[in-house]
Amino acid sequence: VTRNADVISKSGVSSLIGQTDGTLYTEVNTAILRGVNLSKRILSIDNNTLNYNIEIQKDIYGRLQLQVRVNGSIIVNINTNANMSGDFKIAAVYSNLFGYKLFVNGVLIGEDITNTIPTNLNNVRLGDRVSGTLETNFNSRIKSALIFPTALSNQQAIQLTTL
């Protein structure tokens, strides 16, 4: 039996999303992607367009990735080094004071000191993206997802993402 992947989108939640700093967290189980030419969105916040968003995704190479867009341009792109499969705890931390950080399974994967935060973040998407198609929907298991309206410290993010 085959069915479409479940996706969730909730708009009008700007009061729950940190507009100047925050943390996206998700726990997923994912398979290695093969022959895929579109990124798979896991968890994102946006302004209901593709122009302003913060996303945790699997990129076209199967790497876990934090990607940020402002004015339609990608301004941050932090990813793991390999096509990843298995269980993962992922935190994307953002702040207009220090920029962006990606943590996976208790390890700081990378950071970017770009301190521009997308504006008017008022939508949450789980397994989907704006104008998403079945091809861009995340097709593995999302065990949990949390949004913190504050930026977690490195210690907090490491503790949260340790398996």
Side-chain angles (χ1 to χ4, degrees), residues 21-53:
D21 59 20
T23 303
L24 303 178
Y25 168 80
T26 186
E27 185 176 352
V28 299
N29 177 279
T30 183
I32 289 181
L33 295 179
R34 300 184 196 285
V36 175
N37 62 358
L38 295 168
S39 297
K40 303 292 187 176
R41 287 1 180 234
I42 300 171
L43 174 63
S44 66
I45 53 178
D46 61 56
N47 72 342
N48 208 30
T49 73
L50 285 173
N51 295 322
Y52 296 89
N53 61 22

PDB file of all heavy atoms in Angstrom, residues 21-53:
ATOM      1  N   ASP A  21      15.597  35.625  17.488  1.00  0.00           N
ATOM      2  CA  ASP A  21      16.382  34.443  17.803  1.00  0.00           C
ATOM      3  C   ASP A  21      15.446  33.299  18.148  1.00  0.00           C
ATOM      4  O   ASP A  21      14.297  33.512  18.500  1.00  0.00           O
ATOM      5  CB  ASP A  21      17.414  34.683  18.906  1.00  0.00           C
ATOM      6  CG  ASP A  21      16.830  35.154  20.218  1.00  0.00           C
ATOM      7  OD1 ASP A  21      15.634  34.961  20.463  1.00  0.00           O
ATOM      8  OD2 ASP A  21      17.590  35.683  21.017  1.00  0.00           O
ATOM      9  N   GLY A  22      15.946  32.079  18.000  1.00  0.00           N
ATOM     10  CA  GLY A  22      15.119  30.917  18.284  1.00  0.00           C
ATOM     11  C   GLY A  22      15.856  29.639  17.956  1.00  0.00           C
ATOM     12  O   GLY A  22      17.024  29.648  17.552  1.00  0.00           O
ATOM     13  N   THR A  23      15.152  28.525  18.122  1.00  0.00           N
ATOM     14  CA  THR A  23      15.722  27.214  17.857  1.00  0.00           C
ATOM     15  C   THR A  23      14.657  26.321  17.236  1.00  0.00           C
ATOM     16  O   THR A  23      13.534  26.255  17.733  1.00  0.00           O
ATOM     17  CB  THR A  23      16.232  26.567  19.163  1.00  0.00           C
ATOM     18  OG1 THR A  23      17.188  27.442  19.773  1.00  0.00           O
ATOM     19  CG2 THR A  23      16.877  25.210  18.905  1.00  0.00           C
ATOM     20  N   LEU A  24      15.026  25.643  16.156  1.00  0.00           N
ATOM     21  CA  LEU A  24      14.198  24.590  15.571  1.00  0.00           C
ATOM     22  C   LEU A  24      14.824  23.264  15.970  1.00  0.00           C
ATOM     23  O   LEU A  24      16.038  23.081  15.840  1.00  0.00           O
ATOM     24  CB  LEU A  24      14.176  24.691  14.051  1.00  0.00           C
ATOM     25  CG  LEU A  24      13.705  25.989  13.423  1.00  0.00           C
ATOM     26  CD1 LEU A  24      13.792  25.904  11.903  1.00  0.00           C
ATOM     27  CD2 LEU A  24      12.306  26.315  13.862  1.00  0.00           C
ATOM     28  N   TYR A  25      14.013  22.336  16.437  1.00  0.00           N
ATOM     29  CA  TYR A  25      14.516  21.024  16.845  1.00  0.00           C
ATOM     30  C   TYR A  25      13.641  19.945  16.226  1.00  0.00           C
ATOM     31  O   TYR A  25      12.407  20.063  16.200  1.00  0.00           O
ATOM     32  CB  TYR A  25      14.496  20.876  18.366  1.00  0.00           C
ATOM     33  CG  TYR A  25      14.735  19.450  18.810  1.00  0.00           C
ATOM     34  CD1 TYR A  25      16.018  18.925  18.853  1.00  0.00           C
ATOM     35  CD2 TYR A  25      13.675  18.624  19.153  1.00  0.00           C
ATOM     36  CE1 TYR A  25      16.243  17.610  19.225  1.00  0.00           C
ATOM     37  CE2 TYR A  25      13.889  17.301  19.529  1.00  0.00           C
ATOM     38  CZ  TYR A  25      15.173  16.810  19.563  1.00  0.00           C
ATOM     39  OH  TYR A  25      15.392  15.506  19.927  1.00  0.00           O
ATOM     40  N   THR A  26      14.271  18.900  15.750  1.00  0.00           N
ATOM     41  CA  THR A  26      13.519  17.751  15.267  1.00  0.00           C
ATOM     42  C   THR A  26      14.313  16.475  15.493  1.00  0.00           C
ATOM     43  O   THR A  26      15.542  16.486  15.507  1.00  0.00           O
ATOM     44  CB  THR A  26      13.145  17.901  13.771  1.00  0.00           C
ATOM     45  OG1 THR A  26      12.300  16.822  13.384  1.00  0.00           O
ATOM     46  CG2 THR A  26      14.367  17.957  12.889  1.00  0.00           C
ATOM     47  N   GLU A  27      13.575  15.413  15.696  1.00  0.00           N
ATOM     48  CA  GLU A  27      14.170  14.077  15.803  1.00  0.00           C
ATOM     49  C   GLU A  27      13.604  13.255  14.652  1.00  0.00           C
ATOM     50  O   GLU A  27      12.373  13.149  14.508  1.00  0.00           O
ATOM     51  CB  GLU A  27      13.824  13.441  17.147  1.00  0.00           C
ATOM     52  CG  GLU A  27      14.499  12.119  17.365  1.00  0.00           C
ATOM     53  CD  GLU A  27      14.234  11.540  18.749  1.00  0.00           C
ATOM     54  OE1 GLU A  27      13.657  12.229  19.603  1.00  0.00           O
ATOM     55  OE2 GLU A  27      14.627  10.375  18.965  1.00  0.00           O
ATOM     56  N   VAL A  28      14.481  12.716  13.815  1.00  0.00           N
ATOM     57  CA  VAL A  28      14.033  12.021  12.615  1.00  0.00           C
ATOM     58  C   VAL A  28      14.750  10.687  12.459  1.00  0.00           C
ATOM     59  O   VAL A  28      15.815  10.464  13.020  1.00  0.00           O
ATOM     60  CB  VAL A  28      14.280  12.863  11.334  1.00  0.00           C
ATOM     61  CG1 VAL A  28      13.508  14.166  11.389  1.00  0.00           C
ATOM     62  CG2 VAL A  28      15.762  13.123  11.115  1.00  0.00           C
ATOM     63  N   ASN A  29      14.142   9.816  11.680  1.00  0.00           N
ATOM     64  CA  ASN A  29      14.797   8.612  11.193  1.00  0.00           C
ATOM     65  C   ASN A  29      14.702   8.695   9.686  1.00  0.00           C
ATOM     66  O   ASN A  29      13.616   8.834   9.134  1.00  0.00           O
ATOM     67  CB  ASN A  29      14.109   7.353  11.699  1.00  0.00           C
ATOM     68  CG  ASN A  29      14.760   6.110  11.119  1.00  0.00           C
ATOM     69  OD1 ASN A  29      14.476   5.726   9.995  1.00  0.00           O
ATOM     70  ND2 ASN A  29      15.642   5.500  11.891  1.00  0.00           N
ATOM     71  N   THR A  30      15.829   8.625   9.027  1.00  0.00           N
ATOM     72  CA  THR A  30      15.837   8.840   7.589  1.00  0.00           C
ATOM     73  C   THR A  30      16.717   7.820   6.882  1.00  0.00           C
ATOM     74  O   THR A  30      17.698   7.346   7.433  1.00  0.00           O
ATOM     75  CB  THR A  30      16.287  10.281   7.272  1.00  0.00           C
ATOM     76  OG1 THR A  30      16.226  10.481   5.870  1.00  0.00           O
ATOM     77  CG2 THR A  30      17.673  10.575   7.779  1.00  0.00           C
ATOM     78  N   ALA A  31      16.345   7.508   5.669  1.00  0.00           N
ATOM     79  CA  ALA A  31      17.107   6.577   4.845  1.00  0.00           C
ATOM     80  C   ALA A  31      18.051   7.353   3.932  1.00  0.00           C
ATOM     81  O   ALA A  31      17.884   8.556   3.724  1.00  0.00           O
ATOM     82  CB  ALA A  31      16.144   5.738   4.004  1.00  0.00           C
ATOM     83  N   ILE A  32      19.013   6.671   3.376  1.00  0.00           N
ATOM     84  CA  ILE A  32      19.901   7.292   2.393  1.00  0.00           C
ATOM     85  C   ILE A  32      19.081   7.641   1.161  1.00  0.00           C
ATOM     86  O   ILE A  32      18.296   6.830   0.668  1.00  0.00           O
ATOM     87  CB  ILE A  32      21.061   6.341   2.029  1.00  0.00           C
ATOM     88  CG1 ILE A  32      22.026   6.229   3.213  1.00  0.00           C
ATOM     89  CG2 ILE A  32      21.800   6.819   0.779  1.00  0.00           C
ATOM     90  CD1 ILE A  32      23.222   5.334   2.970  1.00  0.00           C
ATOM     91  N   LEU A  33      19.253   8.876   0.681  1.00  0.00           N
ATOM     92  CA  LEU A  33      18.567   9.293  -0.544  1.00  0.00           C
ATOM     93  C   LEU A  33      19.394   8.862  -1.743  1.00  0.00           C
ATOM     94  O   LEU A  33      20.599   9.041  -1.784  1.00  0.00           O
ATOM     95  CB  LEU A  33      18.394  10.820  -0.560  1.00  0.00           C
ATOM     96  CG  LEU A  33      17.497  11.404   0.500  1.00  0.00           C
ATOM     97  CD1 LEU A  33      17.456  12.919   0.370  1.00  0.00           C
ATOM     98  CD2 LEU A  33      16.091  10.842   0.405  1.00  0.00           C
ATOM     99  N   ARG A  34      18.722   8.323  -2.732  1.00  0.00           N
ATOM    100  CA  ARG A  34      19.408   7.896  -3.958  1.00  0.00           C
ATOM    101  C   ARG A  34      18.658   8.460  -5.164  1.00  0.00           C
ATOM    102  O   ARG A  34      17.446   8.353  -5.255  1.00  0.00           O
ATOM    103  CB  ARG A  34      19.434   6.377  -4.062  1.00  0.00           C
ATOM    104  CG  ARG A  34      20.151   5.710  -2.927  1.00  0.00           C
ATOM    105  CD  ARG A  34      20.206   4.194  -3.155  1.00  0.00           C
ATOM    106  NE  ARG A  34      20.536   3.472  -1.962  1.00  0.00           N
ATOM    107  CZ  ARG A  34      21.729   3.401  -1.411  1.00  0.00           C
ATOM    108  NH1 ARG A  34      22.709   4.062  -1.934  1.00  0.00           N
ATOM    109  NH2 ARG A  34      21.941   2.700  -0.322  1.00  0.00           N
ATOM    110  N   GLY A  35      19.385   9.032  -6.084  1.00  0.00           N
ATOM    111  CA  GLY A  35      18.796   9.505  -7.334  1.00  0.00           C
ATOM    112  C   GLY A  35      17.741  10.567  -7.155  1.00  0.00           C
ATOM    113  O   GLY A  35      16.800  10.647  -7.934  1.00  0.00           O
ATOM    114  N   VAL A  36      17.876  11.387  -6.128  1.00  0.00           N
ATOM    115  CA  VAL A  36      16.885  12.421  -5.845  1.00  0.00           C
ATOM    116  C   VAL A  36      17.448  13.756  -6.302  1.00  0.00           C
ATOM    117  O   VAL A  36      18.587  14.084  -6.015  1.00  0.00           O
ATOM    118  CB  VAL A  36      16.567  12.462  -4.330  1.00  0.00           C
ATOM    119  CG1 VAL A  36      15.633  13.605  -4.009  1.00  0.00           C
ATOM    120  CG2 VAL A  36      15.979  11.148  -3.883  1.00  0.00           C
ATOM    121  N   ASN A  37      16.656  14.534  -7.034  1.00  0.00           N
ATOM    122  CA  ASN A  37      17.156  15.821  -7.500  1.00  0.00           C
ATOM    123  C   ASN A  37      16.460  17.003  -6.832  1.00  0.00           C
ATOM    124  O   ASN A  37      16.585  18.129  -7.285  1.00  0.00           O
ATOM    125  CB  ASN A  37      17.047  15.930  -9.022  1.00  0.00           C
ATOM    126  CG  ASN A  37      15.605  15.847  -9.499  1.00  0.00           C
ATOM    127  OD1 ASN A  37      14.697  15.675  -8.699  1.00  0.00           O
ATOM    128  ND2 ASN A  37      15.407  15.955 -10.791  1.00  0.00           N
ATOM    129  N   LEU A  38      15.729  16.743  -5.764  1.00  0.00           N
ATOM    130  CA  LEU A  38      15.071  17.804  -5.013  1.00  0.00           C
ATOM    131  C   LEU A  38      15.336  17.617  -3.519  1.00  0.00           C
ATOM    132  O   LEU A  38      15.319  16.497  -3.026  1.00  0.00           O
ATOM    133  CB  LEU A  38      13.554  17.788  -5.257  1.00  0.00           C
ATOM    134  CG  LEU A  38      13.093  18.105  -6.673  1.00  0.00           C
ATOM    135  CD1 LEU A  38      11.626  17.778  -6.833  1.00  0.00           C
ATOM    136  CD2 LEU A  38      13.354  19.560  -7.005  1.00  0.00           C
ATOM    137  N   SER A  39      15.559  18.711  -2.813  1.00  0.00           N
ATOM    138  CA  SER A  39      15.749  18.645  -1.367  1.00  0.00           C
ATOM    139  C   SER A  39      14.443  18.256  -0.692  1.00  0.00           C
ATOM    140  O   SER A  39      13.359  18.553  -1.189  1.00  0.00           O
ATOM    141  CB  SER A  39      16.212  20.011  -0.840  1.00  0.00           C
ATOM    142  OG  SER A  39      17.450  20.343  -1.389  1.00  0.00           O
ATOM    143  N   LYS A  40      14.559  17.609   0.454  1.00  0.00           N
ATOM    144  CA  LYS A  40      13.395  17.170   1.226  1.00  0.00           C
ATOM    145  C   LYS A  40      13.305  18.002   2.494  1.00  0.00           C
ATOM    146  O   LYS A  40      14.200  17.969   3.337  1.00  0.00           O
ATOM    147  CB  LYS A  40      13.519  15.681   1.588  1.00  0.00           C
ATOM    148  CG  LYS A  40      13.690  14.773   0.389  1.00  0.00           C
ATOM    149  CD  LYS A  40      12.453  14.726  -0.457  1.00  0.00           C
ATOM    150  CE  LYS A  40      12.597  13.685  -1.558  1.00  0.00           C
ATOM    151  NZ  LYS A  40      11.386  13.552  -2.340  1.00  0.00           N
ATOM    152  N   ARG A  41      12.238  18.762   2.666  1.00  0.00           N
ATOM    153  CA  ARG A  41      12.075  19.637   3.815  1.00  0.00           C
ATOM    154  C   ARG A  41      11.609  18.833   5.014  1.00  0.00           C
ATOM    155  O   ARG A  41      10.671  18.066   4.938  1.00  0.00           O
ATOM    156  CB  ARG A  41      11.058  20.733   3.530  1.00  0.00           C
ATOM    157  CG  ARG A  41      11.457  21.864   2.590  1.00  0.00           C
ATOM    158  CD  ARG A  41      12.819  21.746   2.019  1.00  0.00           C
ATOM    159  NE  ARG A  41      13.182  22.832   1.132  1.00  0.00           N
ATOM    160  CZ  ARG A  41      13.612  22.634  -0.099  1.00  0.00           C
ATOM    161  NH1 ARG A  41      13.663  21.436  -0.603  1.00  0.00           N
ATOM    162  NH2 ARG A  41      14.004  23.648  -0.823  1.00  0.00           N
ATOM    163  N   ILE A  42      12.276  19.048   6.169  1.00  0.00           N
ATOM    164  CA  ILE A  42      11.906  18.356   7.398  1.00  0.00           C
ATOM    165  C   ILE A  42      11.098  19.293   8.287  1.00  0.00           C
ATOM    166  O   ILE A  42       9.968  18.996   8.658  1.00  0.00           O
ATOM    167  CB  ILE A  42      13.164  17.844   8.141  1.00  0.00           C
ATOM    168  CG1 ILE A  42      13.940  16.861   7.246  1.00  0.00           C
ATOM    169  CG2 ILE A  42      12.761  17.176   9.453  1.00  0.00           C
ATOM    170  CD1 ILE A  42      15.294  16.462   7.787  1.00  0.00           C
ATOM    171  N   LEU A  43      11.672  20.437   8.652  1.00  0.00           N
ATOM    172  CA  LEU A  43      11.014  21.407   9.527  1.00  0.00           C
ATOM    173  C   LEU A  43      11.430  22.792   9.075  1.00  0.00           C
ATOM    174  O   LEU A  43      12.619  23.038   8.862  1.00  0.00           O
ATOM    175  CB  LEU A  43      11.428  21.175  10.986  1.00  0.00           C
ATOM    176  CG  LEU A  43      10.946  22.167  12.030  1.00  0.00           C
ATOM    177  CD1 LEU A  43       9.415  22.176  12.132  1.00  0.00           C
ATOM    178  CD2 LEU A  43      11.563  21.850  13.395  1.00  0.00           C
ATOM    179  N   SER A  44      10.452  23.692   8.929  1.00  0.00           N
ATOM    180  CA  SER A  44      10.798  25.052   8.523  1.00  0.00           C
ATOM    181  C   SER A  44       9.832  26.061   9.123  1.00  0.00           C
ATOM    182  O   SER A  44       8.709  25.730   9.498  1.00  0.00           O
ATOM    183  CB  SER A  44      10.804  25.184   6.995  1.00  0.00           C
ATOM    184  OG  SER A  44       9.504  25.020   6.464  1.00  0.00           O
ATOM    185  N   ILE A  45      10.326  27.285   9.211  1.00  0.00           N
ATOM    186  CA  ILE A  45       9.487  28.430   9.548  1.00  0.00           C
ATOM    187  C   ILE A  45       9.658  29.432   8.411  1.00  0.00           C
ATOM    188  O   ILE A  45      10.737  29.559   7.833  1.00  0.00           O
ATOM    189  CB  ILE A  45       9.838  29.053  10.921  1.00  0.00           C
ATOM    190  CG1 ILE A  45      11.324  29.393  11.029  1.00  0.00           C
ATOM    191  CG2 ILE A  45       9.417  28.124  12.048  1.00  0.00           C
ATOM    192  CD1 ILE A  45      11.715  30.059  12.344  1.00  0.00           C
ATOM    193  N   ASP A  46       8.560  30.126   8.062  1.00  0.00           N
ATOM    194  CA  ASP A  46       8.624  31.028   6.921  1.00  0.00           C
ATOM    195  C   ASP A  46       7.550  32.105   7.027  1.00  0.00           C
ATOM    196  O   ASP A  46       6.783  32.141   7.980  1.00  0.00           O
ATOM    197  CB  ASP A  46       8.485  30.248   5.610  1.00  0.00           C
ATOM    198  CG  ASP A  46       7.164  29.500   5.495  1.00  0.00           C
ATOM    199  OD1 ASP A  46       6.093  30.130   5.599  1.00  0.00           O
ATOM    200  OD2 ASP A  46       7.198  28.272   5.307  1.00  0.00           O
ATOM    201  N   ASN A  47       7.494  32.962   6.016  1.00  0.00           N
ATOM    202  CA  ASN A  47       6.467  33.998   5.961  1.00  0.00           C
ATOM    203  C   ASN A  47       5.442  33.683   4.874  1.00  0.00           C
ATOM    204  O   ASN A  47       4.843  34.568   4.292  1.00  0.00           O
ATOM    205  CB  ASN A  47       7.093  35.378   5.742  1.00  0.00           C
ATOM    206  CG  ASN A  47       7.617  35.563   4.344  1.00  0.00           C
ATOM    207  OD1 ASN A  47       7.820  34.595   3.614  1.00  0.00           O
ATOM    208  ND2 ASN A  47       7.856  36.799   3.948  1.00  0.00           N
ATOM    209  N   ASN A  48       5.247  32.405   4.613  1.00  0.00           N
ATOM    210  CA  ASN A  48       4.320  31.877   3.620  1.00  0.00           C
ATOM    211  C   ASN A  48       4.794  32.113   2.189  1.00  0.00           C
ATOM    212  O   ASN A  48       4.010  32.116   1.259  1.00  0.00           O
ATOM    213  CB  ASN A  48       2.900  32.404   3.810  1.00  0.00           C
ATOM    214  CG  ASN A  48       1.868  31.417   3.285  1.00  0.00           C
ATOM    215  OD1 ASN A  48       2.110  30.214   3.298  1.00  0.00           O
ATOM    216  ND2 ASN A  48       0.750  31.912   2.812  1.00  0.00           N
ATOM    217  N   THR A  49       6.099  32.338   2.038  1.00  0.00           N
ATOM    218  CA  THR A  49       6.710  32.405   0.716  1.00  0.00           C
ATOM    219  C   THR A  49       8.028  31.638   0.776  1.00  0.00           C
ATOM    220  O   THR A  49       8.512  31.306   1.849  1.00  0.00           O
ATOM    221  CB  THR A  49       7.024  33.855   0.277  1.00  0.00           C
ATOM    222  OG1 THR A  49       8.143  34.342   1.024  1.00  0.00           O
ATOM    223  CG2 THR A  49       5.811  34.774   0.456  1.00  0.00           C
ATOM    224  N   LEU A  50       8.609  31.409  -0.388  1.00  0.00           N
ATOM    225  CA  LEU A  50       9.939  30.799  -0.435  1.00  0.00           C
ATOM    226  C   LEU A  50      11.027  31.843  -0.267  1.00  0.00           C
ATOM    227  O   LEU A  50      12.205  31.523  -0.271  1.00  0.00           O
ATOM    228  CB  LEU A  50      10.144  30.070  -1.769  1.00  0.00           C
ATOM    229  CG  LEU A  50       9.413  28.749  -1.909  1.00  0.00           C
ATOM    230  CD1 LEU A  50       9.559  28.205  -3.325  1.00  0.00           C
ATOM    231  CD2 LEU A  50       9.914  27.740  -0.903  1.00  0.00           C
ATOM    232  N   ASN A  51      10.649  33.110  -0.126  1.00  0.00           N
ATOM    233  CA  ASN A  51      11.623  34.200  -0.077  1.00  0.00           C
ATOM    234  C   ASN A  51      12.245  34.412   1.297  1.00  0.00           C
ATOM    235  O   ASN A  51      13.346  34.949   1.406  1.00  0.00           O
ATOM    236  CB  ASN A  51      10.982  35.501  -0.552  1.00  0.00           C
ATOM    237  CG  ASN A  51      10.592  35.418  -2.003  1.00  0.00           C
ATOM    238  OD1 ASN A  51      11.302  34.833  -2.805  1.00  0.00           O
ATOM    239  ND2 ASN A  51       9.448  35.985  -2.337  1.00  0.00           N
ATOM    240  N   TYR A  52      11.532  34.064   2.371  1.00  0.00           N
ATOM    241  CA  TYR A  52      12.004  34.289   3.741  1.00  0.00           C
ATOM    242  C   TYR A  52      11.726  33.039   4.558  1.00  0.00           C
ATOM    243  O   TYR A  52      10.582  32.772   4.904  1.00  0.00           O
ATOM    244  CB  TYR A  52      11.290  35.491   4.370  1.00  0.00           C
ATOM    245  CG  TYR A  52      11.578  36.791   3.670  1.00  0.00           C
ATOM    246  CD1 TYR A  52      10.797  37.219   2.604  1.00  0.00           C
ATOM    247  CD2 TYR A  52      12.637  37.578   4.082  1.00  0.00           C
ATOM    248  CE1 TYR A  52      11.074  38.410   1.953  1.00  0.00           C
ATOM    249  CE2 TYR A  52      12.917  38.784   3.440  1.00  0.00           C
ATOM    250  CZ  TYR A  52      12.141  39.180   2.376  1.00  0.00           C
ATOM    251  OH  TYR A  52      12.422  40.361   1.731  1.00  0.00           O
ATOM    252  N   ASN A  53      12.785  32.264   4.871  1.00  0.00           N
ATOM    253  CA  ASN A  53      12.557  31.062   5.662  1.00  0.00           C
ATOM    254  C   ASN A  53      13.837  30.565   6.313  1.00  0.00           C
ATOM    255  O   ASN A  53      14.942  30.957   5.954  1.00  0.00           O
ATOM    256  CB  ASN A  53      11.915  29.958   4.816  1.00  0.00           C
ATOM    257  CG  ASN A  53      12.770  29.529   3.647  1.00  0.00           C
ATOM    258  OD1 ASN A  53      13.973  29.722   3.630  1.00  0.00           O
ATOM    259  ND2 ASN A  53      12.138  28.932   2.657  1.00  0.00           N
TER     260      ASN A  53
END
